[in-house]
Amino acid sequence: MVMIFIGAMAVLSSPRSISDRLKKRYVFDKSEFRAPSNAIQLRSVRIFPRAEDEEAGIYIGHAQSMSADFEGLLYVPDDKNDEILVFSEEGRLVRRFGRTGQGPGEFLRPTGIFCGSDYILVREIQNRRFQFFSLAGKYQSGFHCFKDYYSFVVVGKSLIGAPLQSRLPEKPGDSALIDVMDLQGRVQRSFGATLDIPASNYMFDHLLHIALSTKNQIVVAFQFFPIVRLYSLEGKLIREFQTRSGIIEKNALLNKKMIKSSGSGEQTYRGTTAHTIFVDADGIYVVIADKNKLEILLYNENGDSKEYYFKNLETGMGLCWGLFVKKSPSGKRFFILRSLPYPSIEELIPYK
Amino acid sequence: MKNRQNMFRIAMGFIIFIIILILVISFQIKKKNDVFSRLPFFHVKDIHSRIIDSSKFRGKTTFISFVNPRSKNDRDIFQKLSNQFGNEIRLVAISALWKQDEDWQREESWILISDPDRDLLRLFGASFVGFNFAYDQAGNLLGRGSNQMGYEEGPKATLTQHLRGVKFDKKMILPGIGEKITTADWLKQLEIILGADVIARYFVFGLFSSICDACSSGRTIQMLKRLRSAVDDRLSVYIVLSPDFDETDLPRLRTQLQLNFPCVLSDQVLAQKWSSLKQLFRPRDINEFVLLVDSSGRILLIFDRNGENPHDSFYYHAVALIANKGKKSEK
């Protein structure tokens, strides 16, 4: 008896990864997420470009990312029209650059963008390139890229990219989450263990969203799993924590139902757990939306929930691929890139 | 007894109802399919107030696209079609947003139709701007797609096949199984590589006219890696890459995809072959062929990503072929 008891205790107390525990919790947790009492509702200030601007040629054909420079100008790569649109916070089109093509400064489906201190870096899907531009849109340099780095940041002389995680187990490079490259795209090291969930259990290939904290830590959020990780630049895992929200819980219930109905024990995960992330001195913002609600969760770097913002939606936001948070004396202003009812940026502020 | 009869009648009635329901639904589906498979009839005015009757489109291959006049990509598709097929094709652009779009109006042969209430969009069953449709001379649908994928991946192959009568066949780039690679002049580079490697008895050549598809699926590269590790140094693996890339790309390719075999740029002859095929076919048609070749240059196996279950099939066949031939030679 004593041996059995000791054995059971050993099993229970054995160190398991947080992902392991969360995996179980994510699927089987029955507790309901309750919005905190200090939940802050957001209201829309403006949407730009406006629908009527389209006639003047000011519109976003389709976009999957957004980045802001130090002045707060918002850069949106339009992957339908192969150009970069630059908007002021007030929604005015400041400039646009790029055209369809394969030459320097031209684009074929630019989908990713990162604003540095005096440059912007654009990634194109079809030309498989990274291109550096000045903030004014002047081409500087470029190089080919052979992996699907949907999310990337630049730190000093390093380009840090998070490749698309394939649901196909045969996909190469699945053993690491992050590649650290020089500014010519040559990989110097890779790190970050993937979640120990069979990739084939996902319904789709999934993205990782990465951002850089004020302490130069790499923040990674999984698109289909409610986990955020912080890594040092050298690749050491500093912290991992779970995100919780109403939408995540709702999707967890759906997962549970699917598992129940299939009866096969196969776990198939559905529902986005992070559409995009943004990091500033206040912490890590995680954006999640479904057709009824937008949620912005703010965590500090220890993984403690700090603030919870939400907005009830009538038409849904579609995919929210970009967030920029601007602090002003009157409070925070949230700029969200949304795809419904048409690709646009919406400015949201808290209700007073 | 009466109850049984009633039950029987109810059951029969229910079965007949279900049959009628199925017939009605299938009729509706057929009707819907007819709408989508034939050029729909419409009678509208173009932006110059000239009457456009779609029934008069018959007799000429027609490309109809719901465009945003401000979209450079949409216009680019029209320009490339115009350049490639000239008067052989009727180009029709429909939009709710025509204004002073001089770029479009400069091309006088293009038909520009205004669709402010999006009636035509609904008629064609297109869910949003960016859809295109190609019809043959008899008004039969040749293909439909989205402008977002652009000209290269969109209407190019469909219309080339229809108007030029050429369909892509892998024999355009590769000799068949059992033939020597030297039978294709443009594969001389492979023969030189083969002659320089004195250790290997088998060679796998991955021909990548573009690396895009190889990366996005990632499976072909992985298959080559598996092959390399499954078979000992009797096998050499090489990737031959299109000249769209340059020498500086090779270390990027090797480090990002963690390649443990050589990767070289194609020579001028192979590059020219790829380039000529690119004019006619989609990039994906001519990309990612893998050959298993013996040391005499005879092709033993071909991997074609458009084939059925190509990756596993090629891998297992290649391993088995090399093992069997090895045993035979030992005997």
Side-chain angles (χ1 to χ4, degrees):
Chain A
M1 275 302 277
V2 174
M3 290 301 285
I4 292 171
F5 177 75
I6 293 170
M9 287 303 290
V11 168
L12 287 173
S13 60
S14 65
R16 287 186 298 159
S17 74
I18 300 174
S19 312
D20 260 357
R21 279 181 272 133
L22 292 178
K23 179 167 61 178
K24 204 164 182 184
R25 178 183 169 76
Y26 180 47
V27 180
F28 297 108
D29 188 7
K30 286 181 182 171
S31 68
E32 249 182 62
F33 170 80
R34 296 193 188 286
S37 53
N38 60 348
I40 303 163
Q41 192 169 1
L42 297 171
R43 69 181 174 88
S44 181
V45 178
R46 62 169 72 87
I47 294 179
F48 57 90
R50 296 167 303 164
E52 53 268 33
D53 291 339
E54 190 171 352
E55 286 197 32
I58 302 169
Y59 72 101
I60 303 169
H62 186 262
Q64 298 181 41
S65 64
M66 178 175 78
S67 186
D69 69 9
F70 65 97
E71 282 182 5
L73 293 178
L74 301 166
Y75 292 70
V76 180
D78 183 337
D79 65 86
K80 181 170 187 290
N81 294 320
D82 299 328
E83 62 179 353
I84 310 297
L85 302 165
V86 186
F87 294 97
S88 70
E89 289 166 19
E90 291 72 40
R92 188 171 50 84
L93 180 69
V94 178
R95 59 180 166 269
R96 62 204 307 171
F97 59 90
R99 61 176 184 183
T100 303
Q102 293 176 289
E106 296 176 332
F107 302 117
L108 282 178
R109 299 195 67 201
T111 53
I113 194 159
F114 174 82
C115 282
S117 53
D118 58 352
Y119 62 88
I120 60 169
L121 180 58
V122 179
R123 175 189 168 269
E124 305 160 74
I125 287 187
Q126 221 154 311
N127 281 334
R128 297 224 151 238
R129 273 193 311 198
F130 277 108
Q131 293 193 82
F132 282 97
F133 294 85
S134 70
L135 291 177
K138 192 175 174 208
Y139 172 79
Q140 291 176 335
S141 63
F143 56 85
H144 282 111
C145 163
F146 299 93
K147 235 172 172 180
D148 290 317
Y149 294 111
Y150 269 85
S151 188
F152 53 91
V153 292
V154 178
V155 193
K157 300 268 182 210
S158 296
L159 166 60
I160 298 167
L164 181 75
Q165 299 290 301
S166 171
R167 69 189 177 88
L168 298 169
E170 303 92 340
K171 168 97 192 226
D174 273 351
S175 53
L177 297 179
I178 305 287
D179 285 340
V180 180
M181 294 165 268
D182 60 15
L183 292 183
Q184 292 297 311
R186 290 171 294 220
V187 174
Q188 293 165 327
R189 60 181 184 279
S190 302
F191 60 80
T194 52
L195 294 173
D196 52 355
I197 295 164
S200 55
N201 281 8
Y202 291 100
M203 294 174 86
F204 308 103
D205 290 353
H206 48 291
L207 310 179
L208 300 174
H209 304 287
I210 62 173
L212 202 65
S213 79
T214 45
K215 292 179 189 166
N216 263 5
Q217 293 169 345
I218 302 165
V219 182
V220 180
F222 292 78
Q223 188 189 6
F224 293 134
F225 216 76
I227 287 178
V228 171
R229 285 182 184 165
L230 278 81
Y231 289 96
S232 70
L233 286 178
E234 290 70 38
K236 189 183 166 210
L237 178 64
I238 297 165
R239 192 158 289 104
E240 178 181 85
F241 62 87
Q242 184 188 14
T243 53
R244 291 195 72 197
S245 82
I247 295 172
I248 290 173
E249 294 293 324
K250 199 167 81 180
N251 290 332
L253 280 174
L254 279 173
N255 286 330
K256 192 183 158 194
K257 278 181 190 166
M258 282 176 73
I259 292 162
K260 218 175 186 178
S261 62
S262 75
S264 65
E266 288 286 316
Q267 299 173 356
T268 305
Y269 297 94
R270 56 182 289 175
T272 301
T273 53
H275 274 102
T276 188
I277 58 171
F278 177 80
V279 179
D280 68 7
D282 279 356
I284 302 156
Y285 296 85
V286 179
V287 178
I288 314 163
D290 66 7
K291 61 182 178 182
N292 302 315
K293 204 171 191 177
L294 166 77
E295 293 180 319
I296 301 176
L297 321 168
L298 175 61
Y299 293 89
N300 66 17
E301 286 170 2
N302 294 321
D304 305 320
S305 176
K306 276 179 77 178
E307 289 166 12
Y308 172 86
Y309 298 89
F310 71 98
K311 184 174 188 277
N312 295 320
L313 305 171
E314 286 174 8
T315 57
M317 299 194 85
L319 300 172
C320 317
W321 290 124
L323 170 69
F324 172 61
V325 183
K326 171 94 177 176
K327 278 167 92 173
S328 62
S330 56
K332 285 180 181 172
R333 298 161 69 196
F334 298 85
F335 295 87
I336 278 212
L337 177 68
R338 54 187 289 176
S339 64
L340 286 178
Y342 63 91
S344 53
I345 299 165
E346 183 169 15
E347 183 186 344
L348 302 164
I349 58 168
Y351 268 108
K352 294 276 176 184
Chain B
M1 193 68 180
K2 226 174 188 179
N3 272 350
R4 273 191 180 176
Q5 276 180 352
N6 282 341
M7 288 279 281
F8 180 72
R9 277 181 197 153
I10 291 168
M12 285 302 289
F14 183 71
I15 290 166
I16 291 166
F17 171 74
I18 294 292
I19 291 169
I20 292 170
L21 195 68
I22 290 168
L23 286 173
V24 169
I25 290 170
S26 59
F27 178 72
Q28 289 294 330
I29 290 171
K30 189 176 179 301
K31 207 172 149 188
K32 203 174 175 185
N33 284 343
D34 281 348
V35 170
F36 290 130
S37 62
R38 304 273 302 160
L39 174 64
F41 174 73
F42 57 87
H43 189 89
V44 290
K45 283 184 181 173
D46 73 0
I47 61 165
H48 306 295
S49 301
R50 290 178 295 219
I51 289 172
I52 304 295
D53 181 350
S54 68
S55 62
K56 290 181 181 163
F57 288 173
R58 306 273 162 91
K60 198 171 185 178
T61 304
T62 303
F63 179 76
I64 298 176
S65 182
F66 291 87
V67 302
N68 185 321
R70 308 294 183 204
S71 167
K72 293 171 196 163
N73 188 31
D74 290 357
R75 196 185 178 287
D76 187 53
I77 290 174
F78 271 67
Q79 193 62 62
K80 286 186 170 171
L81 282 168
S82 188
N83 293 346
Q84 188 175 355
F85 301 113
N87 287 332
E88 286 177 82
I89 190 166
R90 179 183 285 107
L91 297 170
V92 183
I94 304 173
S95 173
L97 296 169
W98 297 114
K99 277 229 157 170
Q100 295 298 316
D101 297 296
E102 289 167 3
D103 269 3
W104 288 82
Q105 291 178 29
R106 205 179 300 136
E107 305 292 334
E108 288 176 4
S109 61
W110 300 359
I111 298 172
L112 310 180
I113 297 174
S114 185
D115 184 29
D117 300 323
R118 318 233 166 184
D119 296 331
L120 291 178
L121 196 76
R122 282 191 287 277
L123 178 69
F124 277 76
S127 45
F128 52 85
V129 169
F131 266 89
N132 61 54
F133 302 81
Y135 296 92
D136 67 10
Q137 292 86 337
N140 297 314
L141 183 70
L142 291 170
R144 50 186 272 170
S146 161
N147 289 358
Q148 199 180 335
M149 295 309 290
Y151 171 73
E152 295 295 328
E153 290 292 340
K156 181 180 173 181
T158 310
L159 289 167
T160 302
Q161 189 178 322
H162 178 69
L163 286 165
R164 298 277 177 269
V166 277
K167 191 178 176 185
F168 182 74
D169 184 333
K170 67 182 171 205
K171 283 186 179 162
M172 290 175 176
I173 196 152
L174 296 176
I177 290 175
E179 292 181 75
K180 289 205 168 185
I181 46 174
T182 43
T183 53
D185 292 343
W186 57 89
L187 295 181
K188 275 266 187 289
Q189 184 182 8
L190 308 192
E191 199 192 355
I192 295 167
I193 294 173
L194 196 136
D197 191 334
V198 290
I199 298 171
R201 285 158 59 193
Y202 299 96
F203 295 81
V204 166
F205 294 106
L207 303 178
F208 292 94
S209 64
S210 138
I211 201 75
C212 293
D213 293 336
C215 292
S216 55
S217 73
R219 297 184 70 189
T220 309
I221 298 277
Q222 185 63 5
M223 179 190 76
L224 296 176
K225 285 184 185 176
R226 279 171 72 203
L227 252 179
R228 182 69 193 85
S229 54
V231 182
D232 55 26
D233 56 7
R234 283 174 298 171
L235 179 76
S236 283
V237 177
Y238 293 87
I239 284 183
V240 184
L241 197 61
S242 137
D244 290 346
F245 302 94
D246 61 36
E247 289 289 343
T248 64
D249 286 319
L250 299 181
R252 277 189 273 276
L253 179 68
R254 274 197 290 272
T255 57
Q256 287 179 14
L257 301 185
Q258 296 154 26
L259 300 183
N260 52 0
F261 40 79
C263 183
V264 295
L265 294 176
S266 61
D267 67 7
Q268 210 177 349
V269 188
L270 178 57
Q272 272 172 3
K273 180 72 180 172
W274 268 332
S275 172
S276 64
L277 291 172
K278 253 187 197 174
Q279 304 299 318
L280 297 171
F281 304 105
R282 288 174 300 189
R284 74 166 84 143
D285 290 332
I286 59 170
N287 189 27
E288 248 182 273
F289 287 102
V290 181
L291 310 173
L292 174 67
V293 177
D294 67 16
S295 53
S296 73
R298 191 174 302 280
I299 298 175
L300 304 175
L301 201 59
I302 295 175
F303 160 77
D304 169 9
R305 66 190 286 273
N306 300 316
E308 244 177 71
N309 189 24
H311 294 92
D312 284 347
S313 166
F314 182 88
Y315 171 79
Y316 289 116
H317 275 95
V319 172
L321 262 170
I322 294 169
N324 284 340
K325 289 196 181 248
K327 275 180 196 168
K328 275 180 195 170
S329 63
E330 276 170 25
K331 279 177 190 173

